[in-house]
Amino acid sequence: MHRQKKTCIAMMLCAAMLSQSFVFDAYGTSAADSSVSKSASGASMFTLDKLGSVTLKQSVSVKLTDMNISVHPDGNILTYTLRYSNNSGSRVDLFDYFSKLSTLSGAIIKGKVVTSDAGKRTLPANSSQSVTYYVNIGRSAQVNGMKVSMFGWDFSRVTYEKKLGGFTIPAQYSSVVPVGKSKKMKMNNISVTAKADTVQRYEINGKVYIKLGMKLSNGGTKVLSDPGYKAYLKSAGGSIFELLPESSSTGYKLQPQESRTIYYWTEIPSTMKTRGMTLQLAQEDETLKMHLPVQSFKLPAAASDIAVAKGKSARWMMKQQLVTVKAEKMQQMKHNGKVYLRVGVNYANGGKKVLSDPGYKVQLKSAGGSVFDLVPEDETGVSFKIQPGQKRTIYYLAEVPSKLKTDNMTMQFMQEDEALKMTLPVKTFKLPFVTADVPAADYAVKKISVNHLMIETQLKSASVYAENDTGKWSLQFRVKNLGEKSLKLPAYELSIQTNEGYSIPVNAKALANVTLKPLEEKLIDLRADVPLHMKQNMLQLQLTEPAVEGKISFPTARYNIPYAQEGRSHLGSENIIENDHGTFGVKLSSYQRLPWGDGDQIAARISIRNTKALTVQLPELKAQVKADMRDLSRTAQIVIPNDQTTLAPNETVELYVLANVPYSYNFNQLRIELQESSGEDVTRFLSLNTRAVNNVVNQVAAGDSYLIHTPGKKAEVRERMSTVYQDSSSNLLYTELEMASQETRQSMQAQLVAYYKTSDNEYYEAEVNQSSVKTSPKGKNLVTVWSKLPLNVNTSQLVLYVGEGVSGGKLTDLEEESTEVIGSINTVGLALSPRAIQPATNLGNVELFPYKLSITRGEARLSEGKDMLNTVIHYNLIRNGDYETGEYEHKLIMEMIDPTGQSTEKTLTLGTDLSIGSNKSYSITVNNNFRKNVSGGGVRINLYDEFQGRRMLIGSQSYPIIYEENQANKSDSD
């Protein structure tokens, strides 16, 4: 036995030397313990971690870890917790050991195990566990100086028990956690850090309440469920009030490493001081029929419900998420003769989960004490969701008296609590001064919220022109999605508000089905007609969400409409326009008005330049054309000569807008609008308005040429010759044009359209004949043009107006014979030099361009006694192969006059009847009564160019008749 004692002492000394800590006496106190008490005499202790441990046997020890006390009418209950540690290789039976509490009055009371720890009877090898005991200490209220002694059974002693050591509670120890400090404790056998966080005093309906918040942090590895503690508020004077948890603070579950604040409420007397209060937590032991103390916390003085200052924000836990809230603005609105106050509140979710609707009740309080319910303007419930890190502004609305003073107003958030059966205040804000609902300034950007996502809006442009007694307004409205998700815009209602109090609807169909991708923006064209007797310079555009039954619809936004008269386009001047496809430089390059059929046709050439650094895809366009008050859109067509559909940066496309107009209709203003359509939706691409309606046709002097610049059909055109085919009723003016290709590849030449114009501004439509095959680079085309003219027209002063034919939105394709030409572009005036064709006196060089005929020799033979005259001509016929031509419409008429004066005609086709080549011959045989009347002489051959049934003598020459006598008759006479 002595050896065991020495061994134990040696081990204790070693432990003391190694740890430089405690050498325990029989009660667990030590010299070091006493020194700690002296040095810390001025500071309170609320943990017992400085106390040493008591050895129960080798490798088995126990430590006092916690002590708490609660007041009860039948005697105060003290609980203490012992932590047993078994470092041996075998289990320990805990019923071999017990503890007793010695009070300051000298009473010694054996500790009893609380019901929840009653099952802890053994301590497995190499393990530790805590056991809590309770004792009734009567009226004692202080634990300082009390002792907890440890005993083991020893049946060799009279009392059968042996004292193994003990713990003396230091004088500076307090079982109450000081103000602002946290305490690590066990809840449901899980390590939890607890702290009495906030204390606030509220006056509700004439009563005074205390709201207490206790913050819990789960430091364990398991979910902490609500331990169901009872909470009490103890005043400095000793009064005790039961604290009831809010509904959200019951039945909770706290994940590992998660923190949460639990709120309690209790009613107190209005005169009670709130300094020096204590929070006591207790747990009901149903078996023992008593509340056992868990932990007590000293509380700070209760803070009053001070309203958050104007412009400041407040943070609090909302649905277990830390949320920052700010009352941003208050506006006064009017609707149907009533006055409303609209308060915007910004929520910023600082938590890690989605914040759902907290279900607050919100009230507006005036400085005079009047209270008004604030109703959320937006839908709440399932639609109220704020993502982590997201900010969102919710608007609340209250109807108020028209004469209510709006200075020093407050807004209070409240929440119904089912557990407490009362409405609890949450937070009060002082509201900013009321601001008027001011429209956005001229062309200013205004941000608005759509489904809690932010968009940017702007009235980007506005212009007006007068038509009769109406102001025709064109507005361009811009919207941009600033969010990170796609957004479908509501079917907004748009109207123009006049200074006279009228609301004029604006067609907002373009806004009906708009979906914007993140950061996408869209330009929307709007139109409105405002009577001119209203002030055009004091208009506002109003944007309102679709009406919902039972909900007041206030304007979402309003925008000043700057007064600006519609700008005019001048020939050759570029204007910058912007639409959904990009930013473009637009120029009216030329304007022409020329005859077409029984009326006129206008042709406006428009240049569109891409000013941006990205390639643009042009949409399919259609034209709306208006000349003064007359709508020409039904006949309007757009022609893009080169079928260009994309524009590279700084690239330009030229297109033509054509429309038919009665030739007698004169106008001073032309309005052109290019539109794109998608289904029933029509969007303006660009618009032009000009008074430059003077016909501009480039004039080309006689003998000069002009160029066709159209890509793919570039050519140089000049007059080759013009002449007149006459008859008794009219003249036929005939012109040959030489069109030389300027392309570097084989290409189809432009289909020409032509009119002859007199000096009296009379126009005669001309027929055009040209080749329908491709022309080689530098190749030439022979184009023939002709028209019948009255005899009184002076053909020497005619100008040929010639342009490029168009069909189906492009240049007419010569290969498609069925294609109808429905207009022309790029018309020029080509002065002509008509000349009379002088007949040649011999047929050695006769021109029927592109053919040239040369009759080298001719003779007629007549045999004596015969009536048949046989004439043979010898010729060379060549064709100029440099030219492509259309169908050759000229005919060669050969007239032969015999010696009797009788005329015989032959219609010859060049290339067939007269074949191309040299040393060719052609014969004509004529039967007549030649035997009696002719024995010599000659025949005359006249050549005529016949065109459209009209003849022109181009040459004449006589050839001899060779008379052949009958040799038989001659011999008889001899």
Side-chain angles (χ1 to χ4, degrees), residues 46-81:
F46 62 96
T47 62
L48 297 172
D49 57 349
K50 298 298 184 183
L51 295 181
S53 60
V54 172
T55 300
L56 302 180
K57 69 176 184 178
Q58 186 176 2
S59 300
V60 180
S61 62
V62 65
K63 183 176 177 66
L64 178 65
T65 60
D66 199 13
M67 182 174 284
N68 283 286
I69 189 170
S70 64
V71 178
H72 285 261
D74 298 331
N76 297 337
I77 302 298
L78 181 144
T79 60
Y80 59 91
T81 301

Side-chain angles (χ1 to χ4, degrees), residues 422-456:
M422 62 185 294
T423 301
L424 302 179
V426 177
K427 187 65 68 176
T428 303
F429 288 85
K430 291 182 179 180
L431 293 176
F433 295 110
V434 169
T435 58
D437 184 22
V438 179
D442 295 357
Y443 307 123
V445 171
K446 188 175 184 67
K447 294 180 180 179
I448 61 177
S449 176
V450 177
N451 297 329
H452 314 301
L453 297 174
M454 197 61 66
I455 66 170
E456 187 176 272

Side-chain angles (χ1 to χ4, degrees), residues 98-112:
F98 56 93
S99 59
K100 297 180 180 180
L101 177 76
S102 301
T103 67
L104 295 177
S105 64
I108 298 175
I109 310 164
K110 184 177 180 181
K112 298 179 182 179

Side-chain angles (χ1 to χ4, degrees), residues 596-882:
W596 190 259
D598 58 357
D600 281 354
Q601 185 177 78
I602 58 175
R605 177 160 57 100
I606 300 173
S607 299
I608 303 174
R609 180 175 63 87
N610 179 13
T611 66
K612 294 296 185 179
L614 298 175
T615 298
V616 174
Q617 178 75 38
L618 294 177
E620 187 174 345
L621 299 171
K622 65 177 183 179
Q624 295 289 310
V625 181
K626 201 169 187 180
D628 282 350
M629 298 294 294
R630 184 175 293 227
D631 191 349
L632 309 178
S633 303
R634 186 177 58 85
T635 64
Q637 57 176 314
I638 296 176
V639 176
I640 305 178
N642 58 352
D643 295 330
Q644 188 172 353
T645 58
T646 59
L647 279 180
N650 209 39
E651 187 178 9
T652 298
V653 64
E654 288 194 334
L655 55 81
Y656 298 79
V657 176
L658 280 65
N660 297 341
V661 60
Y663 82 91
S664 59
Y665 180 66
N666 294 318
F667 57 89
N668 297 315
Q669 188 170 20
L670 180 67
R671 191 179 306 280
I672 298 174
E673 184 170 298
L674 302 187
Q675 301 173 340
E676 58 175 310
S677 59
S678 176
E680 296 181 356
D681 298 331
V682 177
T683 305
R684 178 173 57 189
F685 183 83
L686 65 83
S687 63
L688 292 173
N689 165 45
T690 184
R691 290 185 177 273
V693 291
N694 294 321
N695 195 16
V696 179
V697 178
N698 292 333
Q699 300 297 321
V700 181
D704 288 347
S705 63
Y706 75 91
L707 296 177
I708 293 176
H709 296 284
T710 304
K713 300 186 183 298
K714 295 177 183 177
E716 181 181 13
V717 182
R718 68 175 66 249
E719 177 194 20
R720 184 185 171 277
M721 62 87 68
S722 293
T723 190
V724 177
Y725 292 86
Q726 299 175 337
D727 71 6
S728 59
S729 60
S730 64
N731 290 326
L732 186 149
L733 184 59
Y734 171 85
T735 300
E736 289 181 353
L737 300 177
E738 178 186 284
M739 187 159 60
S741 173
Q742 301 292 307
E743 295 290 342
T744 58
R745 302 289 188 276
Q746 275 194 329
S747 61
M748 295 297 301
Q749 295 298 288
Q751 166 73 66
L752 299 185
V753 175
Y755 282 82
Y756 287 106
K757 177 181 175 294
T758 71
S759 57
D760 298 329
N761 290 324
E762 294 177 342
Y763 291 87
Y764 295 90
E765 186 175 357
E767 298 288 337
V768 178
N769 178 24
Q770 63 188 106
S771 172
S772 60
V773 299
K774 291 184 178 179
T775 303
S776 301
K778 297 184 180 180
K780 297 178 181 180
N781 267 276
L782 183 67
V783 182
T784 59
V785 182
W786 62 272
S787 181
K788 292 180 181 180
L789 307 175
L791 291 174
N792 61 354
V793 172
N794 185 350
T795 58
S796 64
Q797 297 180 357
L798 293 178
V799 176
L800 181 65
Y801 274 42
V802 58
E804 303 162 46
V806 295
S807 306
K810 59 183 180 180
L811 291 176
T812 302
D813 192 342
L814 286 167
E815 289 182 313
E816 298 179 7
E817 295 183 3
S818 61
T819 301
E820 180 185 3
V821 179
I822 57 175
S824 66
I825 59 175
N826 298 329
T827 299
V828 300
L830 182 62
L832 302 177
S833 301
R835 57 186 176 87
I837 303 298
Q838 298 299 323
T841 56
N842 63 73
L843 303 181
N845 187 14
V846 179
E847 185 175 69
L848 290 95
F849 197 80
Y851 295 95
K852 182 177 289 187
L853 176 65
S854 175
I855 297 179
T856 58
R857 181 166 56 90
E859 57 187 25
R861 292 185 179 272
L862 178 61
S863 296
E864 181 183 0
K866 302 291 186 180
D867 290 332
M868 182 175 64
L869 181 64
N870 185 32
T871 305
V872 178
I873 58 171
H874 300 272
Y875 68 93
N876 299 325
L877 179 64
I878 60 174
R879 185 189 184 282
N880 190 333
D882 294 339

